[in-house]
Structure formats: structure tokens, C-alpha cells
Amino acid sequence: MAAPRIMVNVPKTAARGEIVEIKTLIAHKMETGHRMGLNGQRIPRDIINRFECTYNGALVFAADLFPAVSANPFIAFTTVAVASGTLKFRWVDDHGKVSTTSAKITVT
Amino acid sequence: MKRLCVVLALLSSGAVASDKRSGVEYVSPETRALQADDFANPGMLWVGGGEALWNEAVGQTKKSCASCHQDAKQTMKGVAARYPVFDEVRKRPIDLQGRINQCRVRRQKAAAFAFESEALLSLSAYIAHQSRGMPVTPPRDERLWSYIENGKELYFRRIGQIDINCASCHDARAGQRLSGNLIPEAHPTGYPIYRLEWQSAGSLQRRMRGCMTGVRAEPYAYGSPEMINLELYLMNRAAGLPIETPAVRP
């Protein structure tokens, strides 16, 4: 399948100063590196190790992920609606593959 | 009247409609919350992927599903609630996944998707999602009766080294525990489901194969007539319950 499967939910509008909840979900196998495959060969680790969210360029939330995180990681967090603009989301995995998406918010 | 009796006889093995409880009622509140929130439900990743596939032109014909079926939100409504149905081409029942692959091979002139592939699960999830909330309504098609009867026979056939049948757990002991997990009534209303144990979406056939392996029986092959007949019987048994796709289960 072509595009990475990502879902983010950001409120379309918010009042200035309001605390808004943001939910993100990305499809990723999150292979821990601890599992053995056929013939006892270790399956190499492949996880998303970094998640970042910037709000009009400013980093508002970031997380380092480790092998205990399940497949298809769901990350929800809150931020304060300060101004209309764009939230950018960025996931980086062990292969250096970067997945991004963005969402707009209108602050009144 | 005779037909009605047969239908009633087929359905009477399970509980009556009002007594049926979907598997969602047997899961923890946390899992239920995950299923209820479309932005947290990981099964929605497959639904989203399926929407992209629906509109993707493929095969020698360079046609997408949408080229013939237009907007799935309209045309696929209720489809998952009535499948499996009788297939005129094969002259035997066909399930939703089988129909998707049949369409790919015969109409789009493309290669069939492999069972449990991300693509097949995604398209199935997207199509089944269009029926969410609609009651399971198996077709009143007498050509299906012998297959439903066979599915019922398989459901009650004791298999494996443990020598039990589906009913031993899912009828007789629904609501009790099997190594810490609540045993549900085996109503397949939310497939493809996102199963936390699998860390992935999976089909009803994968789930049934899990049970068969669990009782140490040789599981039926993916797409085998036995699997389709079991699906057929289970959907008849679940008649009236709402479709939940994509359901989340532990």
C-alpha cells in the first residue's frame, strides 16, 4: 500500500487559551527486536523511536518510544490553543523513515 | 410454512435474538472505549487504507472498485450484513473476501489478494464498515440451506486432541473464563477485527483457525468450503445483531 496509514484528530476550531486534545494513530509493526523468527534468527528491531508535534513551528509535544510500545502506536496529548495555524506531526523509525502529516486549527 | 420451520430450526441452536450478546459486551471497558472512538480504534487504519484501495485503478482493465460500484458509502451499505451469499458463478456460497478477490480476478483482471494480506483486510474492513450499525440479515435463499446445515454440523462436530466442539465453549460456557479471558458467544459481527493479541487486524477465518489450533485440531485452509460454511452458519446464528466493523477484541 502506497501512503503510510496515519490518522490524526485535531479540533477544527478552538477558543484562544482552550486546552485541546490531539489524537494520533499510525500504522507500524513496532518489531521489538526481542523476537526470534524461523531458525532461531533474531528479527531485527524496527520501531518508531521518535514522535514530534510542532504547532506553528514550535515543538509542543515529543516522545521517545521504546520496544515495549505496541504496534500501531496511538499517542494522545493536549496543548493550549494559542493561535490559528498548522500542527505538524512527525514519526521517525529505526530505518530513518520519516512519516509526516499536518492539520489546521482555527483559533477564535 | 415448511421453509419457515427450516429457518427457525437452523436458528434455534443459538439463543433467540434478544438473548444474543455481541462479543463487545464481553470485553473490558478500556477495549470497548477503544472500539467506540473512531480516532483511537486502530482498526480504522485498515478502513482508511481500504478507502484508498477502493479508488485505486488496477489490473489490465485499469478500473478501480469505484469505477463500477461508485461511492462505497452508498453502494456497499448493508453488504457485509448479508454476506456470505450464494454465488452464481461457483454455484456455492461466497464470503466478502472471496467476492472481493472474484471481482479483482474476473472484472479488474488483476491478481487476487493473498488471505490475511493488508490489502484484502483493508478492503474488507472498508466495505464492512459501511454496514456498521445495521443488523445482520442473512438472505432467505434456499440454495444456502444445505451449506448452513453443513456449517452447523461443523460447529457441533468435536475436533482435535482436546475433543470439543465450538458449542462446548461458545454456547455452553459463554460468559465463563478460559485462562483468564471471558468466552464470548462467537457472533462474528465485527470482522475484520483489530485483535490486541495479534497487534493487527485479522479475518474471521484467522480467528477460527486460532480456535481450531487451540483445541489441537488441524485447521481448515483459508477459503476452504468448510470455512465458508462455518461463516455462513455463524452469521445466521448472529442474525439481528448490529455490524460493528472494525471491532476491537483482546
Side-chain angles (χ1 to χ4, degrees), chain A residues 34-99:
Chain A
H34 298 310
R35 296 198 309 158
M36 297 298 172
L38 296 172
N39 308 322
Q41 293 283 315
R42 189 184 291 273
I43 304 171
R45 192 182 110 156
D46 180 16
I47 65 167
I48 288 171
N49 54 45
R50 180 76 176 167
F51 168 73
E52 286 170 0
C53 171
T54 56
Y55 185 179
N56 287 341
L59 186 70
V60 290
F61 183 87
D64 291 322
L65 285 77
F66 294 91
V69 178
S70 65
N72 311 313
F74 170 70
I75 300 173
F77 55 94
T78 55
T79 189
V80 178
V82 288
S84 296
T86 310
L87 287 129
K88 287 186 176 167
F89 305 89
R90 187 169 182 269
W91 294 260
V92 186
D93 76 7
D94 283 342
H95 294 315
K97 191 183 144 209
V98 179
S99 307

Short mmCIF file of all heavy atoms in Angstrom, two decimals, chain A residues 34-99:
data_model
loop_
_atom_site.label_atom_id
_atom_site.label_comp_id
_atom_site.label_asym_id
_atom_site.label_seq_id
_atom_site.Cartn_x
_atom_site.Cartn_y
_atom_site.Cartn_z
N HIS A 34 13.26 -8.39 20.03
CA HIS A 34 13.45 -9.48 21.00
C HIS A 34 12.90 -10.80 20.50
O HIS A 34 13.10 -11.84 21.12
CB HIS A 34 12.75 -9.13 22.31
CG HIS A 34 13.30 -7.90 22.96
ND1 HIS A 34 14.63 -7.71 23.17
CD2 HIS A 34 12.67 -6.78 23.41
CE1 HIS A 34 14.82 -6.52 23.75
NE2 HIS A 34 13.65 -5.94 23.89
N ARG A 35 12.16 -10.76 19.39
CA ARG A 35 11.50 -11.99 18.93
C ARG A 35 12.42 -12.78 18.02
O ARG A 35 13.24 -12.22 17.30
CB ARG A 35 10.21 -11.66 18.18
CG ARG A 35 9.17 -10.99 19.05
CD ARG A 35 7.80 -11.07 18.42
NE ARG A 35 7.79 -10.62 17.04
CZ ARG A 35 6.86 -10.98 16.17
NH1 ARG A 35 5.90 -11.80 16.53
NH2 ARG A 35 6.89 -10.52 14.92
N MET A 36 12.25 -14.09 18.08
CA MET A 36 13.01 -14.98 17.20
C MET A 36 12.11 -15.39 16.03
O MET A 36 10.95 -15.72 16.23
CB MET A 36 13.45 -16.24 17.94
CG MET A 36 14.40 -15.95 19.08
SD MET A 36 15.93 -15.20 18.52
CE MET A 36 16.68 -14.78 20.08
N GLY A 37 12.67 -15.40 14.86
CA GLY A 37 11.91 -15.85 13.69
C GLY A 37 12.26 -17.29 13.37
O GLY A 37 12.62 -18.06 14.26
N LEU A 38 12.15 -17.65 12.10
CA LEU A 38 12.47 -19.01 11.68
C LEU A 38 13.95 -19.31 11.96
O LEU A 38 14.80 -18.42 11.88
CB LEU A 38 12.19 -19.16 10.18
CG LEU A 38 10.71 -19.00 9.78
CD1 LEU A 38 10.57 -18.99 8.28
CD2 LEU A 38 9.86 -20.11 10.39
N ASN A 39 14.26 -20.54 12.28
CA ASN A 39 15.62 -21.00 12.54
C ASN A 39 16.29 -20.26 13.70
O ASN A 39 17.52 -20.19 13.76
CB ASN A 39 16.50 -20.84 11.29
CG ASN A 39 15.87 -21.49 10.08
OD1 ASN A 39 15.26 -22.54 10.21
ND2 ASN A 39 16.00 -20.86 8.93
N GLY A 40 15.47 -19.69 14.59
CA GLY A 40 16.07 -19.01 15.73
C GLY A 40 16.77 -17.71 15.40
O GLY A 40 17.51 -17.18 16.21
N GLN A 41 16.54 -17.22 14.20
CA GLN A 41 17.15 -15.94 13.81
C GLN A 41 16.39 -14.80 14.48
O GLN A 41 15.16 -14.77 14.47
CB GLN A 41 17.07 -15.76 12.29
CG GLN A 41 17.91 -16.72 11.50
CD GLN A 41 19.39 -16.35 11.52
OE1 GLN A 41 19.73 -15.19 11.36
NE2 GLN A 41 20.24 -17.33 11.74
N ARG A 42 17.16 -13.88 15.04
CA ARG A 42 16.52 -12.75 15.68
C ARG A 42 15.90 -11.83 14.61
O ARG A 42 16.55 -11.52 13.61
CB ARG A 42 17.56 -11.97 16.48
CG ARG A 42 16.97 -10.89 17.37
CD ARG A 42 18.06 -10.11 18.06
NE ARG A 42 18.77 -10.91 19.05
CZ ARG A 42 18.38 -11.05 20.32
NH1 ARG A 42 17.28 -10.45 20.73
NH2 ARG A 42 19.06 -11.79 21.16
N ILE A 43 14.64 -11.43 14.82
CA ILE A 43 14.01 -10.48 13.90
C ILE A 43 14.51 -9.09 14.27
O ILE A 43 14.38 -8.67 15.43
CB ILE A 43 12.47 -10.53 14.01
CG1 ILE A 43 11.97 -11.96 13.76
CG2 ILE A 43 11.81 -9.56 13.04
CD1 ILE A 43 10.49 -12.17 14.05
N PRO A 44 15.14 -8.38 13.34
CA PRO A 44 15.74 -7.10 13.71
C PRO A 44 14.72 -6.09 14.20
O PRO A 44 13.57 -6.08 13.75
CB PRO A 44 16.41 -6.62 12.41
CG PRO A 44 16.03 -7.54 11.35
CD PRO A 44 15.31 -8.71 11.92
N ARG A 45 15.18 -5.28 15.14
CA ARG A 45 14.30 -4.27 15.73
C ARG A 45 13.89 -3.25 14.67
O ARG A 45 14.71 -2.82 13.86
CB ARG A 45 15.04 -3.55 16.86
CG ARG A 45 14.13 -2.69 17.71
CD ARG A 45 14.91 -1.96 18.77
NE ARG A 45 14.94 -0.54 18.44
CZ ARG A 45 15.12 0.42 19.35
NH1 ARG A 45 15.31 0.11 20.61
NH2 ARG A 45 15.12 1.68 18.97
N ASP A 46 12.62 -2.91 14.65
CA ASP A 46 12.14 -1.85 13.76
C ASP A 46 10.96 -1.18 14.44
O ASP A 46 9.82 -1.65 14.34
CB ASP A 46 11.73 -2.44 12.40
CG ASP A 46 11.21 -1.36 11.45
OD1 ASP A 46 11.45 -0.16 11.73
OD2 ASP A 46 10.58 -1.70 10.45
N ILE A 47 11.26 -0.12 15.16
CA ILE A 47 10.18 0.58 15.85
C ILE A 47 10.24 2.07 15.50
O ILE A 47 11.27 2.56 15.04
CB ILE A 47 10.25 0.43 17.39
CG1 ILE A 47 11.53 1.10 17.93
CG2 ILE A 47 10.18 -1.02 17.82
CD1 ILE A 47 11.54 1.27 19.43
N ILE A 48 9.13 2.74 15.71
CA ILE A 48 9.17 4.20 15.68
C ILE A 48 9.82 4.62 16.98
O ILE A 48 9.39 4.20 18.06
CB ILE A 48 7.73 4.77 15.56
CG1 ILE A 48 7.19 4.50 14.16
CG2 ILE A 48 7.72 6.26 15.87
CD1 ILE A 48 5.73 4.83 14.00
N ASN A 49 10.92 5.39 16.89
CA ASN A 49 11.60 5.75 18.14
C ASN A 49 11.40 7.21 18.53
O ASN A 49 11.81 7.62 19.61
CB ASN A 49 13.10 5.41 18.05
CG ASN A 49 13.75 6.03 16.84
OD1 ASN A 49 13.53 7.20 16.55
ND2 ASN A 49 14.55 5.25 16.11
N ARG A 50 10.76 7.97 17.66
CA ARG A 50 10.60 9.39 17.97
C ARG A 50 9.30 9.92 17.36
O ARG A 50 8.99 9.64 16.20
CB ARG A 50 11.79 10.18 17.42
CG ARG A 50 11.74 11.67 17.68
CD ARG A 50 12.10 12.01 19.11
NE ARG A 50 12.15 13.46 19.30
CZ ARG A 50 12.19 14.04 20.51
NH1 ARG A 50 12.22 13.29 21.59
NH2 ARG A 50 12.23 15.34 20.61
N PHE A 51 8.57 10.65 18.17
CA PHE A 51 7.37 11.32 17.69
C PHE A 51 7.44 12.79 18.09
O PHE A 51 7.83 13.10 19.22
CB PHE A 51 6.11 10.68 18.28
CG PHE A 51 4.86 11.49 18.05
CD1 PHE A 51 4.28 11.56 16.79
CD2 PHE A 51 4.27 12.22 19.08
CE1 PHE A 51 3.15 12.33 16.56
CE2 PHE A 51 3.13 12.98 18.86
CZ PHE A 51 2.57 13.03 17.59
N GLU A 52 7.14 13.67 17.17
CA GLU A 52 7.19 15.10 17.48
C GLU A 52 5.96 15.79 16.91
O GLU A 52 5.48 15.44 15.84
CB GLU A 52 8.43 15.75 16.86
CG GLU A 52 9.72 15.42 17.58
CD GLU A 52 10.95 15.87 16.81
OE1 GLU A 52 10.81 16.46 15.73
OE2 GLU A 52 12.05 15.62 17.33
N CYS A 53 5.49 16.79 17.63
CA CYS A 53 4.40 17.63 17.13
C CYS A 53 4.81 19.08 17.27
O CYS A 53 5.18 19.52 18.37
CB CYS A 53 3.12 17.36 17.92
SG CYS A 53 1.81 18.53 17.50
N THR A 54 4.77 19.80 16.16
CA THR A 54 5.07 21.24 16.23
C THR A 54 3.80 22.01 15.90
O THR A 54 2.99 21.60 15.06
CB THR A 54 6.18 21.64 15.25
OG1 THR A 54 5.81 21.23 13.92
CG2 THR A 54 7.51 21.00 15.62
N TYR A 55 3.66 23.13 16.58
CA TYR A 55 2.48 23.99 16.44
C TYR A 55 2.99 25.34 15.97
O TYR A 55 3.68 26.02 16.72
CB TYR A 55 1.79 24.07 17.81
CG TYR A 55 0.47 24.82 17.86
CD1 TYR A 55 -0.20 24.90 19.08
CD2 TYR A 55 -0.09 25.43 16.75
CE1 TYR A 55 -1.41 25.57 19.18
CE2 TYR A 55 -1.29 26.09 16.85
CZ TYR A 55 -1.94 26.18 18.06
OH TYR A 55 -3.15 26.85 18.17
N ASN A 56 2.72 25.67 14.73
CA ASN A 56 3.27 26.89 14.11
C ASN A 56 4.79 26.94 14.30
O ASN A 56 5.35 27.99 14.62
CB ASN A 56 2.61 28.15 14.67
CG ASN A 56 1.19 28.31 14.16
OD1 ASN A 56 0.82 27.71 13.14
ND2 ASN A 56 0.39 29.08 14.86
N GLY A 57 5.43 25.81 14.14
CA GLY A 57 6.89 25.75 14.19
C GLY A 57 7.46 25.48 15.57
O GLY A 57 8.62 25.10 15.70
N ALA A 58 6.67 25.66 16.61
CA ALA A 58 7.18 25.43 17.96
C ALA A 58 6.87 24.01 18.40
O ALA A 58 5.74 23.52 18.21
CB ALA A 58 6.56 26.43 18.93
N LEU A 59 7.86 23.36 18.99
CA LEU A 59 7.66 21.99 19.47
C LEU A 59 6.76 22.03 20.70
O LEU A 59 7.08 22.66 21.70
CB LEU A 59 9.01 21.37 19.82
CG LEU A 59 9.02 19.90 20.20
CD1 LEU A 59 8.71 19.03 19.00
CD2 LEU A 59 10.36 19.50 20.80
N VAL A 60 5.59 21.36 20.59
CA VAL A 60 4.69 21.36 21.75
C VAL A 60 4.62 19.99 22.42
O VAL A 60 4.24 19.89 23.58
CB VAL A 60 3.25 21.81 21.37
CG1 VAL A 60 3.22 23.29 21.04
CG2 VAL A 60 2.70 20.99 20.22
N PHE A 61 4.97 18.95 21.68
CA PHE A 61 4.95 17.62 22.29
C PHE A 61 5.94 16.72 21.55
O PHE A 61 6.04 16.78 20.33
CB PHE A 61 3.55 16.99 22.21
CG PHE A 61 3.45 15.65 22.87
CD1 PHE A 61 3.17 15.55 24.23
CD2 PHE A 61 3.66 14.47 22.15
CE1 PHE A 61 3.09 14.30 24.85
CE2 PHE A 61 3.59 13.22 22.77
CZ PHE A 61 3.29 13.14 24.12
N ALA A 62 6.69 15.93 22.32
CA ALA A 62 7.59 14.97 21.71
C ALA A 62 7.66 13.74 22.61
O ALA A 62 7.44 13.84 23.81
CB ALA A 62 8.98 15.56 21.52
N ALA A 63 7.93 12.61 22.00
CA ALA A 63 8.04 11.38 22.79
C ALA A 63 9.11 10.49 22.20
O ALA A 63 9.24 10.39 20.97
CB ALA A 63 6.69 10.65 22.79
N ASP A 64 9.90 9.87 23.08
CA ASP A 64 10.82 8.81 22.66
C ASP A 64 10.11 7.50 22.91
O ASP A 64 9.58 7.27 24.00
CB ASP A 64 12.11 8.87 23.47
CG ASP A 64 12.93 10.10 23.12
OD1 ASP A 64 12.96 10.46 21.94
OD2 ASP A 64 13.51 10.71 24.04
N LEU A 65 10.08 6.64 21.90
CA LEU A 65 9.38 5.37 22.04
C LEU A 65 10.37 4.23 22.15
O LEU A 65 11.47 4.29 21.59
CB LEU A 65 8.45 5.14 20.85
CG LEU A 65 7.15 5.96 20.83
CD1 LEU A 65 7.41 7.39 20.41
CD2 LEU A 65 6.13 5.34 19.92
N PHE A 66 9.99 3.20 22.89
CA PHE A 66 10.86 2.06 23.16
C PHE A 66 10.15 0.76 22.77
O PHE A 66 8.95 0.77 22.48
CB PHE A 66 11.28 2.10 24.63
CG PHE A 66 12.14 3.29 24.95
CD1 PHE A 66 11.59 4.49 25.37
CD2 PHE A 66 13.51 3.23 24.75
CE1 PHE A 66 12.39 5.60 25.61
CE2 PHE A 66 14.32 4.32 24.99
CZ PHE A 66 13.76 5.51 25.42
N PRO A 67 10.88 -0.36 22.80
CA PRO A 67 10.28 -1.59 22.28
C PRO A 67 9.03 -2.08 23.00
O PRO A 67 8.33 -2.93 22.48
CB PRO A 67 11.41 -2.61 22.42
CG PRO A 67 12.65 -1.80 22.35
CD PRO A 67 12.32 -0.53 23.07
N ALA A 68 8.72 -1.57 24.17
CA ALA A 68 7.53 -2.05 24.85
C ALA A 68 6.24 -1.45 24.28
O ALA A 68 5.15 -1.86 24.65
CB ALA A 68 7.61 -1.75 26.35
N VAL A 69 6.36 -0.50 23.38
CA VAL A 69 5.16 0.13 22.81
C VAL A 69 4.57 -0.81 21.76
O VAL A 69 5.29 -1.37 20.92
CB VAL A 69 5.50 1.50 22.19
CG1 VAL A 69 4.26 2.12 21.56
CG2 VAL A 69 6.06 2.43 23.26
N SER A 70 3.24 -0.98 21.81
CA SER A 70 2.59 -1.94 20.92
C SER A 70 2.58 -1.45 19.48
O SER A 70 2.88 -0.29 19.20
CB SER A 70 1.16 -2.19 21.38
OG SER A 70 0.42 -1.01 21.24
N ALA A 71 2.22 -2.34 18.58
CA ALA A 71 2.12 -2.00 17.16
C ALA A 71 1.06 -0.92 16.97
O ALA A 71 0.15 -0.79 17.78
CB ALA A 71 1.76 -3.23 16.35
N ASN A 72 1.18 -0.18 15.88
CA ASN A 72 0.24 0.88 15.55
C ASN A 72 0.06 1.87 16.70
O ASN A 72 -1.03 2.00 17.25
CB ASN A 72 -1.11 0.28 15.14
CG ASN A 72 -0.95 -0.83 14.13
OD1 ASN A 72 -0.23 -0.68 13.16
ND2 ASN A 72 -1.57 -1.97 14.39
N PRO A 73 1.16 2.54 17.11
CA PRO A 73 1.09 3.35 18.33
C PRO A 73 0.08 4.49 18.25
O PRO A 73 0.00 5.20 17.24
CB PRO A 73 2.52 3.90 18.47
CG PRO A 73 3.17 3.70 17.17
CD PRO A 73 2.49 2.53 16.52
N PHE A 74 -0.68 4.59 19.32
CA PHE A 74 -1.68 5.64 19.48
C PHE A 74 -1.13 6.62 20.51
O PHE A 74 -0.80 6.21 21.62
CB PHE A 74 -2.99 5.01 19.98
CG PHE A 74 -4.04 6.00 20.42
CD1 PHE A 74 -4.68 6.80 19.50
CD2 PHE A 74 -4.37 6.12 21.76
CE1 PHE A 74 -5.65 7.71 19.91
CE2 PHE A 74 -5.34 7.02 22.17
CZ PHE A 74 -5.99 7.82 21.25
N ILE A 75 -0.99 7.87 20.14
CA ILE A 75 -0.49 8.88 21.07
C ILE A 75 -1.49 10.01 21.14
O ILE A 75 -1.85 10.60 20.12
CB ILE A 75 0.90 9.41 20.63
CG1 ILE A 75 1.92 8.26 20.56
CG2 ILE A 75 1.38 10.50 21.58
CD1 ILE A 75 3.26 8.66 19.98
N ALA A 76 -1.98 10.30 22.35
CA ALA A 76 -2.90 11.41 22.55
C ALA A 76 -2.27 12.35 23.56
O ALA A 76 -1.62 11.91 24.51
CB ALA A 76 -4.25 10.90 23.06
N PHE A 77 -2.43 13.64 23.34
CA PHE A 77 -1.86 14.63 24.24
C PHE A 77 -2.69 15.91 24.13
O PHE A 77 -3.57 16.03 23.28
CB PHE A 77 -0.38 14.89 23.90
CG PHE A 77 -0.15 15.29 22.47
CD1 PHE A 77 -0.10 16.63 22.11
CD2 PHE A 77 -0.02 14.32 21.49
CE1 PHE A 77 0.10 17.00 20.78
CE2 PHE A 77 0.18 14.69 20.16
CZ PHE A 77 0.24 16.02 19.81
N THR A 78 -2.40 16.84 25.01
CA THR A 78 -3.13 18.11 24.97
C THR A 78 -2.16 19.25 24.74
O THR A 78 -0.97 19.15 25.03
CB THR A 78 -3.89 18.37 26.28
OG1 THR A 78 -2.95 18.31 27.35
CG2 THR A 78 -4.97 17.34 26.51
N THR A 79 -2.69 20.32 24.18
CA THR A 79 -1.90 21.54 24.04
C THR A 79 -2.86 22.71 24.18
O THR A 79 -4.08 22.53 24.16
CB THR A 79 -1.14 21.57 22.70
OG1 THR A 79 -0.23 22.68 22.70
CG2 THR A 79 -2.08 21.72 21.52
N VAL A 80 -2.29 23.89 24.37
CA VAL A 80 -3.12 25.08 24.53
C VAL A 80 -3.26 25.76 23.17
O VAL A 80 -2.27 25.98 22.48
CB VAL A 80 -2.50 26.06 25.55
CG1 VAL A 80 -3.36 27.31 25.67
CG2 VAL A 80 -2.35 25.39 26.90
N ALA A 81 -4.49 26.04 22.78
CA ALA A 81 -4.74 26.71 21.50
C ALA A 81 -4.32 28.17 21.63
O ALA A 81 -4.99 28.95 22.30
CB ALA A 81 -6.21 26.60 21.15
N VAL A 82 -3.18 28.53 21.04
CA VAL A 82 -2.68 29.90 21.18
C VAL A 82 -2.99 30.75 19.95
O VAL A 82 -3.27 31.94 20.07
CB VAL A 82 -1.16 29.93 21.47
CG1 VAL A 82 -0.89 29.46 22.89
CG2 VAL A 82 -0.38 29.10 20.47
N ALA A 83 -2.92 30.16 18.76
CA ALA A 83 -3.15 30.93 17.54
C ALA A 83 -3.60 30.00 16.43
O ALA A 83 -3.31 28.80 16.46
CB ALA A 83 -1.88 31.66 17.13
N SER A 84 -4.28 30.55 15.44
CA SER A 84 -4.64 29.76 14.26
C SER A 84 -3.36 29.34 13.55
O SER A 84 -2.38 30.07 13.54
CB SER A 84 -5.48 30.60 13.30
OG SER A 84 -6.69 30.93 13.91
N GLY A 85 -3.40 28.17 12.96
CA GLY A 85 -2.20 27.74 12.26
C GLY A 85 -2.19 26.26 12.01
O GLY A 85 -3.24 25.61 11.94
N THR A 86 -0.99 25.73 11.89
CA THR A 86 -0.83 24.34 11.48
C THR A 86 -0.08 23.54 12.54
O THR A 86 0.90 24.01 13.10
CB THR A 86 -0.01 24.29 10.16
OG1 THR A 86 -0.59 25.19 9.24
CG2 THR A 86 -0.01 22.89 9.58
N LEU A 87 -0.59 22.36 12.78
CA LEU A 87 0.12 21.40 13.62
C LEU A 87 0.75 20.38 12.69
O LEU A 87 0.09 19.82 11.82
CB LEU A 87 -0.85 20.70 14.57
CG LEU A 87 -1.35 21.57 15.72
CD1 LEU A 87 -2.84 21.54 15.80
CD2 LEU A 87 -0.73 21.13 17.03
N LYS A 88 2.05 20.18 12.88
CA LYS A 88 2.75 19.20 12.05
C LYS A 88 3.17 18.03 12.91
O LYS A 88 3.64 18.21 14.03
CB LYS A 88 3.98 19.85 11.39
CG LYS A 88 3.61 20.80 10.26
CD LYS A 88 4.83 21.31 9.53
CE LYS A 88 4.40 22.18 8.36
NZ LYS A 88 5.53 22.94 7.81
N PHE A 89 3.00 16.84 12.36
CA PHE A 89 3.30 15.62 13.11
C PHE A 89 4.39 14.86 12.37
O PHE A 89 4.39 14.81 11.14
CB PHE A 89 2.05 14.76 13.24
CG PHE A 89 0.89 15.48 13.85
CD1 PHE A 89 -0.01 16.20 13.06
CD2 PHE A 89 0.71 15.47 15.22
CE1 PHE A 89 -1.07 16.88 13.63
CE2 PHE A 89 -0.36 16.15 15.79
CZ PHE A 89 -1.25 16.86 15.00
N ARG A 90 5.29 14.24 13.14
CA ARG A 90 6.44 13.61 12.52
C ARG A 90 6.80 12.36 13.32
O ARG A 90 6.96 12.42 14.53
CB ARG A 90 7.59 14.63 12.57
CG ARG A 90 8.84 14.25 11.84
CD ARG A 90 9.74 15.49 11.79
NE ARG A 90 10.96 15.20 11.05
CZ ARG A 90 12.07 14.75 11.62
NH1 ARG A 90 12.13 14.56 12.91
NH2 ARG A 90 13.13 14.48 10.87
N TRP A 91 6.88 11.24 12.62
CA TRP A 91 7.29 9.98 13.24
C TRP A 91 8.57 9.50 12.55
O TRP A 91 8.65 9.52 11.31
CB TRP A 91 6.24 8.90 13.04
CG TRP A 91 4.91 9.09 13.71
CD1 TRP A 91 4.49 8.52 14.88
CD2 TRP A 91 3.78 9.86 13.24
NE1 TRP A 91 3.20 8.89 15.16
CE2 TRP A 91 2.73 9.71 14.17
CE3 TRP A 91 3.55 10.67 12.12
CZ2 TRP A 91 1.49 10.32 14.03
CZ3 TRP A 91 2.32 11.29 11.98
CH2 TRP A 91 1.31 11.12 12.92
N VAL A 92 9.54 9.05 13.33
CA VAL A 92 10.79 8.56 12.75
C VAL A 92 11.01 7.14 13.25
O VAL A 92 10.90 6.87 14.45
CB VAL A 92 11.99 9.43 13.16
CG1 VAL A 92 13.25 8.98 12.41
CG2 VAL A 92 11.72 10.89 12.88
N ASP A 93 11.29 6.21 12.32
CA ASP A 93 11.53 4.84 12.77
C ASP A 93 13.01 4.46 12.69
O ASP A 93 13.85 5.28 12.31
CB ASP A 93 10.61 3.84 12.05
CG ASP A 93 11.04 3.53 10.62
OD1 ASP A 93 12.12 3.98 10.19
OD2 ASP A 93 10.27 2.82 9.94
N ASP A 94 13.31 3.24 13.09
CA ASP A 94 14.70 2.79 13.20
C ASP A 94 15.43 2.81 11.87
O ASP A 94 16.66 2.89 11.82
CB ASP A 94 14.77 1.37 13.79
CG ASP A 94 14.54 1.39 15.29
OD1 ASP A 94 14.67 2.46 15.89
OD2 ASP A 94 14.22 0.33 15.85
N HIS A 95 14.69 2.69 10.78
CA HIS A 95 15.33 2.75 9.46
C HIS A 95 15.50 4.18 8.99
O HIS A 95 15.91 4.42 7.86
CB HIS A 95 14.50 1.97 8.43
CG HIS A 95 14.47 0.50 8.69
ND1 HIS A 95 15.60 -0.21 9.02
CD2 HIS A 95 13.44 -0.40 8.70
CE1 HIS A 95 15.27 -1.48 9.20
NE2 HIS A 95 13.96 -1.62 9.03
N GLY A 96 15.13 5.14 9.85
CA GLY A 96 15.24 6.55 9.47
C GLY A 96 14.09 7.02 8.62
O GLY A 96 14.09 8.13 8.11
N LYS A 97 13.09 6.12 8.45
CA LYS A 97 11.94 6.51 7.63
C LYS A 97 11.09 7.54 8.39
O LYS A 97 10.72 7.32 9.54
CB LYS A 97 11.10 5.28 7.31
CG LYS A 97 10.05 5.54 6.26
CD LYS A 97 9.20 4.30 6.02
CE LYS A 97 7.77 4.73 5.74
NZ LYS A 97 6.78 3.76 6.13
N VAL A 98 10.83 8.65 7.73
CA VAL A 98 10.07 9.72 8.37
C VAL A 98 8.67 9.76 7.77
O VAL A 98 8.50 9.78 6.56
CB VAL A 98 10.78 11.08 8.15
CG1 VAL A 98 9.97 12.20 8.80
CG2 VAL A 98 12.18 11.04 8.71
N SER A 99 7.65 9.71 8.63
CA SER A 99 6.27 9.85 8.19
C SER A 99 5.74 11.16 8.75
O SER A 99 5.95 11.44 9.93
CB SER A 99 5.41 8.69 8.70
OG SER A 99 6.00 7.46 8.36
#
